[in-house]
Amino acid sequence: MKHSFIDRYSDQDSLIHRLDPRTKFITTLAFILMVTITPVIEWQVFALYLFLIATLILLSKVPILYILQRSLVILPFVALIAISIPFFKEGEVAGSYNIWLWEVSVTYSGLQAFTNILAKAWLSILSLTLLVSTTKMTNLLNGLERLHMPRVMVMILSFMYRYIFVLIDEVMRMKQARDSRNFGGKRLWQIRTIGNMIGTLFIRSYERGERVYAAMLSRGFNGQTRTLDRLNFRPADIYFGISFGLFLILASMINLLY
Amino acid sequence: MEEIIKIENLSFNYPDGRQALTGINLTIYQGETVALIGPNGAGKSTLLLHLNGILHSNGVVKVSGRSVNNKNLRWVRSKVGLIFQNPDDQLFSPTVFEDVAFGPINMGYPEAKVRQCVARALDWAGMTDYEQRSPHHLSFGEKKRIAIATVLSMMPEILVIDEPTSNLDPRSKWSLISLLKRLPMTKIIASHDLDLVQALCQRAIILDHGEVVADGATSHILADIPLLRAHGLAPDGAT
């Protein structure tokens, strides 16, 4: 069965693609950190961040529409969490409404906090989308390992990347088998069936885990994990890392100029 | 001929108490290609898992004269390469290279030797250009071949293969059979694909209900229709 790739466009070639995954990972983290700690009022700084990330996206040659689409996926979740903020934050009232028995008022500072959260989340997601679209998952995992991320976590991520497709296939096959037998009827019955399917899927995954482990043991796995090193920093990584860091610092200090 | 695997009085119960293997005695000689045939649930896979010490029970399994125990597992697993039925279980790494390199790296080889092993194994399996591909984007036949390469890279003396041709279309099946034919190691192949048995194996062993019920030349065993019928390997009433 066909799946969309998690790391689609990562096998293309551009200035950004060629950077070492470690450089990209660290700069992405730095970017997200700076975005999150920037105070609410400094919208100019946010504009600069957006400019920075937009430049990088252009440099990476990944279709802009694709990045936008990907980044929008996360917004409903953020909105769901942030939607109540304008109503609860105290301050100057921007408008008040009567909804049935309640009187609800929206404050300016609340609205500001809301847009602030949205902007921060969106910028962070943009940078992560760029990271995943320009770095092959395998290289990223290799990079994380070289950055001394605990090996167990790297392995969990790599198994996840490997088996998510196998599991999706399994779910799709189960769904097809269920629908071929005219799935329908009472709501309660439907829910029970879905519960059974989830249970079956869990047991199958557990058994697959045992078989995979046996296959690992058969090839001499003894709990220790080893890999070959295949990454190299190049001068471009150093230039990129330094200039990106400088830009971030400059952006965060821009309000001092006013 | 030199004995390479010797199984003495091996019995095994599943965790739920069902008897899987009962009093198995077998000797495999160097350079043989042996078929292990039997209906579903006969205990074939369980027996294979004993050959490199994944499962162990009260009987004795000897590889090249040394009995398998917890101390020599590493050595046993470098001698006996076990290939699982489902390549999705066998291939667990993000790229083909990492999967084929997994065994050699675990054996502690230096990088140059690992690369050499991987290249040779992929060459044997006819999959040279696949190093950077992801297993989940390969066809089933390609996955089967890579699964074989992951074990060949460890240069085992004995290949133990569980159902190599299951789920393959005829073309992939015959190309896999000719691949296996080219490999010089001692081979133990569990299968109920009688085409494969006929094409590859000089000797066949029938396993049913966890017991060895027949052991002899493939031509004899496959010609004995009543025997095959009694163990669910030929259709009832066929001539």
Side-chain angles (χ1 to χ4, degrees):
Chain A
M1 284 175 227
K2 291 262 178 283
H3 309 288
S4 61
F5 298 65
I6 295 176
D7 46 0
R8 203 168 150 202
Y9 296 112
S10 62
D11 50 355
Q12 293 182 339
D13 187 43
S14 80
L15 208 66
I16 309 290
H17 285 82
R18 262 173 276 147
L19 289 171
D20 189 287
R22 288 170 288 180
T23 315
K24 283 186 269 191
F25 182 72
I26 291 176
T27 45
T28 305
L29 272 192
F31 181 80
I32 293 176
L33 185 73
M34 293 308 281
V35 166
T36 358
I37 64 175
T38 304
V40 188
I41 27 147
E42 294 166 20
W43 64 268
Q44 303 94 332
V45 185
F46 285 115
L48 263 179
Y49 288 144
L50 184 62
F51 170 74
L52 176 61
I53 201 79
T55 316
L56 293 181
I57 289 172
L58 281 179
L59 278 176
S60 74
K61 296 182 194 154
V62 178
I64 296 170
L65 210 65
Y66 168 78
I67 298 234
L68 282 179
Q69 261 176 6
R70 272 280 163 110
S71 69
L72 288 181
V73 170
I74 194 73
L75 284 188
F77 297 98
V78 181
L80 197 70
I81 294 166
I83 194 71
S84 61
I85 293 174
F87 301 100
F88 290 108
K89 190 118 178 167
E90 287 177 8
E92 198 188 335
V93 175
S96 62
Y97 312 93
N98 283 311
I99 304 174
W100 197 34
L101 288 178
W102 290 290
E103 190 185 319
V104 184
S105 46
V106 176
T107 59
Y108 280 117
S109 60
L111 274 179
Q112 203 171 36
F114 175 70
T115 47
N116 174 53
I117 287 176
L118 269 190
K120 283 179 174 175
W122 189 55
L123 282 169
S124 307
I125 285 298
L126 272 183
S127 66
L128 281 173
T129 315
L130 181 67
L131 173 70
V132 187
S133 309
T134 57
T135 318
K136 281 203 187 97
M137 196 54 112
T138 49
N139 289 342
L140 189 60
L141 290 173
N142 199 349
L144 289 178
E145 195 182 329
R146 294 284 298 276
L147 286 169
H148 299 287
M149 187 181 196
R151 199 31 210 165
V152 185
M153 292 179 71
V154 179
M155 278 183 88
I156 291 174
L157 285 175
S158 103
F159 281 126
M160 207 176 80
Y161 178 64
R162 170 67 183 92
Y163 284 103
I164 194 160
F165 299 100
V166 178
L167 273 180
I168 290 173
D169 273 350
E170 199 137 342
V171 171
M172 274 160 61
R173 280 198 303 267
M174 280 168 85
K175 254 184 76 178
Q176 283 166 355
R178 180 196 69 183
D179 295 340
S180 310
R181 284 177 282 167
N182 286 327
F183 181 57
K186 289 206 190 79
R187 177 51 60 91
L188 190 67
W189 164 249
Q190 290 186 10
I191 291 172
R192 260 187 61 183
T193 313
I194 292 170
N196 287 342
M197 284 169 70
I198 294 172
T200 310
L201 196 67
F202 180 78
I203 291 168
R204 282 191 196 167
S205 308
Y206 178 77
E207 285 176 343
R208 183 185 294 281
E210 286 190 327
R211 291 195 305 270
V212 171
Y213 184 59
M216 292 172 75
L217 287 179
S218 298
R219 285 189 270 152
F221 181 74
N222 57 356
Q224 265 185 318
T225 51
R226 310 154 205 248
T227 44
L228 297 178
D229 291 338
R230 270 182 297 159
L231 297 177
N232 279 313
F233 277 128
R234 293 177 305 123
D237 288 298
I238 295 162
Y239 301 143
F240 178 83
I242 292 175
S243 44
F244 190 89
L246 282 178
F247 194 97
L248 279 180
I249 295 168
L250 273 180
S252 64
M253 293 198 307
I254 197 132
N255 64 317
L256 296 179
L257 298 176
Y258 287 96
Chain B
M1 276 194 291
E2 200 184 327
E3 289 177 0
I4 195 156
I5 287 186
K6 196 170 176 68
I7 301 171
E8 286 165 359
N9 200 20
L10 179 72
S11 300
F12 181 75
N13 292 333
Y14 288 122
D16 65 0
R18 272 183 307 136
Q19 184 92 12
L21 298 173
T22 324
I24 304 269
N25 287 295
L26 268 184
T27 308
I28 311 283
Y29 298 95
Q30 180 114 41
E32 271 191 316
T33 299
V34 182
L36 193 60
I37 52 186
N40 292 331
K44 301 188 295 282
S45 304
T46 311
L47 180 57
L48 297 191
L49 287 172
H50 280 86
L51 296 180
N52 72 347
I54 299 283
L55 294 179
H56 30 83
S57 34
N58 46 8
V60 179
V61 178
K62 282 184 183 166
V63 175
S64 297
R66 285 159 75 172
S67 81
V68 175
N69 57 42
N70 282 330
K71 282 184 213 119
N72 60 14
L73 280 183
R74 214 178 140 77
W75 171 80
V76 168
R77 286 169 186 167
S78 70
K79 287 264 173 193
V80 183
L82 181 55
I83 300 164
F84 288 71
Q85 178 176 359
N86 185 345
D88 273 329
D89 297 338
Q90 178 100 27
L91 307 176
F92 44 77
S93 307
T95 64
V96 167
F97 177 88
E98 282 170 81
D99 241 321
V100 182
F102 186 82
I105 291 174
N106 279 326
M107 288 162 76
Y109 291 163
E111 179 171 345
K113 189 164 181 199
V114 170
R115 288 183 185 286
Q116 190 193 338
C117 290
V118 172
R120 185 172 37 198
L122 286 174
D123 182 40
W124 260 338
M127 296 266 106
T128 306
D129 296 329
Y130 284 70
E131 279 196 8
Q132 291 311 317
R133 299 276 293 274
S134 303
H136 54 261
H137 294 137
L138 301 177
S139 76
F140 197 81
E142 289 169 330
K143 282 187 201 171
K144 277 275 187 188
R145 283 166 167 265
I146 301 291
I148 293 174
T150 62
V151 168
L152 289 180
S153 64
M154 297 172 74
M155 292 178 287
E157 287 176 28
I158 307 149
L159 275 184
V160 178
I161 315 171
D162 196 356
E163 298 284 3
T165 55
S166 63
N167 282 330
L168 288 180
D169 60 52
R171 182 172 36 189
S172 316
K173 172 174 130 175
W174 286 105
S175 93
L176 195 84
I177 288 175
S178 70
L179 159 66
L180 291 176
K181 203 163 200 165
R182 283 196 301 274
L183 300 175
M185 303 88 177
T186 307
K187 286 170 284 230
I188 301 168
I189 303 173
S191 182
H192 36 223
D193 178 353
L194 300 184
D195 285 342
L196 165 122
V197 174
Q198 192 130 42
L200 276 182
C201 310
Q202 303 92 44
R203 181 177 159 201
I205 296 162
I206 297 185
L207 198 68
D208 199 2
H209 297 298
E211 288 179 69
V212 175
V213 293
D215 182 352
T218 303
S219 50
H220 269 165
I221 299 241
L222 291 191
D224 191 346
I225 302 292
L227 174 73
L228 293 180
R229 197 178 293 153
H231 299 289
L233 296 163
D236 290 328
T239 47

